[in-house]
Every structure is written in structure tokens, then in C-alpha cells.
Amino acid sequence: MSYQFDFSSITPEAVKVLGHGMAVSLQITATAIVFGIVWGTLLAMMRLSPSKPLQWFATGYVNLFRSIPLVMVLLWFFLIVPQLLQKLFHLSASNDLRMTSALAAFSLFEAAYYAEIIRAGIKSVARGQMAAASALGLTYSQSMRLVILPQAFRNMIPLLLTQGIILFQDTSLVYVSALADFFGRAYSIGERDGRIIELLFFAGAVYFVICFGISLLVKRSVRSQGLS
């Protein structure tokens, strides 16, 4: 007997619940992108710095997070971060710190990937630009901030946006901490109504529409700006 699909569980009330889950997914994505780019930029500059200790620290950080599965990092932060925060700030054990743990895990993890993208973008800028900035009397930090980074970020726009799409997809992994993101809400509704297949199919369709739509916007933006 063939399986009979039934999408009746996707009611207005269910859509509202899924909307709250999507808000959680978008919050994690936005926070991780902002923090990841800022911290990733600093890591990239450390790796390119003439200071050996800074190079070693940044290289070790990037290699560590790029060598560990994201789901494992999420589990570590879910099990460790709440206990540390409760001890440091004398918080009650009843405080729900799952969101804080997820934001910290994603932000620190994504920074390692953004660091490599940004480092490649910096190296794509002609060396003569740094020499010209030095000739004008700019310090290393001024040259990076005013001359190199603006050009590098323009070259990196496609990769940064693509990494943002991947990050949005990866937010579904927060289910390991029982955080009610979009995927988690869809699974819960499907499990409640005995329609897991339908709800997961619906969730997959939503992820596809959002990610594919953003990908098209990225390609159009790249073409309009003449970026490769």
C-alpha cells in the first residue's frame, strides 16, 4: 500500500509556530554573520601579520574549528557554556541559555571560515596597493582599514553571501540542543500529528525557496557589479 500524503497539519496555527521558529533561525544566522565577519577579519589580519605569535594563534584557531564537525561544536557549547555562565554570573540553573550557547557556537565556528575567505580576499589585492599606502605615510593598520580591506571586501562579496546561505542551512543543526528553530518546530509538529514526512518535506521546500532565491539575487548582484 502506497503512502498517502496529507498536508492538513500545515494549518494557519502551524504556520504561525513555524514563523517563530524561522525567526530563531534568522536571528542565529544574522548574529553569526556579523560576528563571524568581524572576528574573521581580525583572524585573517593576524594570519597575515608579521607577528609570529599572532600567526600561530589565528592559524591554530582556524584549523581547530575547520577540523571539527559543527554538530559537535554545538553539543560542546550546549553542555559547557551554560554551566560556565551560571558559575561566572551566578545565574539560576533554571535560566534557559540554549539560545546564547547556539549564538556563541555558530559565531565562533563561522568566524574560522570567514577568516579564510577574508584572508584570500586580502591576498587578491595587488601588493602595490600596500606599498603605495606606505609611501603615503599610512601605518599598517591604516593601510589595511582604508586601502586593502575595502577592495578585498568588494572581491569577496559573492563568497561572503554564499557562506551566509550555507550558514542559514546549517542552523537546522541546533536541534541537538532542543532549540525550537524552524526545522525543530516543523519536526515537532510532524511528530505531534503523525505527519513527519509531510512537515519535513514542507520545511525542505521552504529552505530551498529561500536559499535558491538568495542565490539568484547573489548572481544578479555579481553580474551587475561586474564581479567574478
Side-chain angles (χ1 to χ4, degrees):
M1 184 177 179
S2 61
Y3 183 83
Q4 298 296 321
F5 285 93
D6 182 2
F7 291 91
S8 60
S9 294
I10 307 176
T11 62
E13 292 76 14
V15 172
K16 185 177 180 180
V17 172
L18 290 172
H20 291 309
M22 180 60 72
V24 172
S25 297
L26 293 176
Q27 182 181 353
I28 295 174
T29 302
T31 302
I33 287 176
V34 173
F35 183 88
I37 290 178
V38 173
W39 181 222
T41 300
L42 294 176
L43 287 171
M45 293 176 65
M46 289 182 199
R47 293 200 68 179
L48 297 173
S49 168
S51 171
K52 291 297 182 181
L54 290 179
Q55 287 184 29
W56 293 335
F57 170 78
T59 300
Y61 181 99
V62 170
N63 290 337
L64 173 65
F65 279 98
R66 284 170 60 89
S67 302
I68 301 174
L70 175 56
V71 66
M72 186 175 294
V73 175
L74 288 170
L75 281 173
W76 285 351
F77 276 77
F78 173 60
L79 296 173
I80 297 173
V81 171
Q83 297 182 32
L84 290 177
L85 293 178
Q86 287 166 5
K87 291 181 180 179
L88 290 175
F89 299 102
H90 305 289
L91 300 175
S92 171
S94 61
N95 290 98
D96 189 354
L97 299 176
R98 288 177 298 175
M99 187 64 171
T100 302
S101 300
L103 291 175
F106 270 99
S107 298
L108 295 175
F109 184 86
E110 289 298 321
Y113 287 85
Y114 279 118
E116 288 299 276
I117 294 174
I118 294 168
R119 184 170 71 97
I122 292 174
K123 295 181 71 173
S124 70
V125 178
R127 293 185 178 181
Q129 296 291 319
M130 180 63 78
S134 299
L136 292 174
L138 299 179
T139 63
Y140 176 79
S141 60
Q142 290 175 328
S143 299
M144 292 295 294
R145 179 166 53 88
L146 300 175
V147 179
I148 305 301
L149 285 178
Q151 298 180 65
F153 272 103
R154 184 177 183 275
N155 297 336
M156 291 183 291
I157 287 177
L159 288 176
L160 292 176
L161 294 176
T162 300
Q163 185 63 31
I165 295 173
I166 296 173
L167 168 57
F168 172 67
Q169 296 171 342
D170 287 343
T171 58
S172 61
L173 293 176
V174 296
Y175 76 87
V176 298
S177 60
L179 193 62
D181 70 316
F182 180 72
F183 177 83
R185 297 268 189 175
Y187 190 91
S188 297
I189 294 173
E191 189 175 38
R192 180 197 65 190
D193 298 340
R195 290 294 173 182
I196 293 179
I197 294 177
E198 286 84 347
L199 267 296
L200 293 185
F201 182 86
F202 176 76
V206 172
Y207 277 113
F208 172 79
V209 170
I210 293 176
C211 295
F212 184 69
I214 296 176
S215 297
L216 292 179
L217 292 176
V218 171
K219 291 180 180 179
R220 181 174 298 179
S221 175
V222 169
R223 287 197 299 266
S224 65
Q225 297 183 39
L227 299 175
S228 57

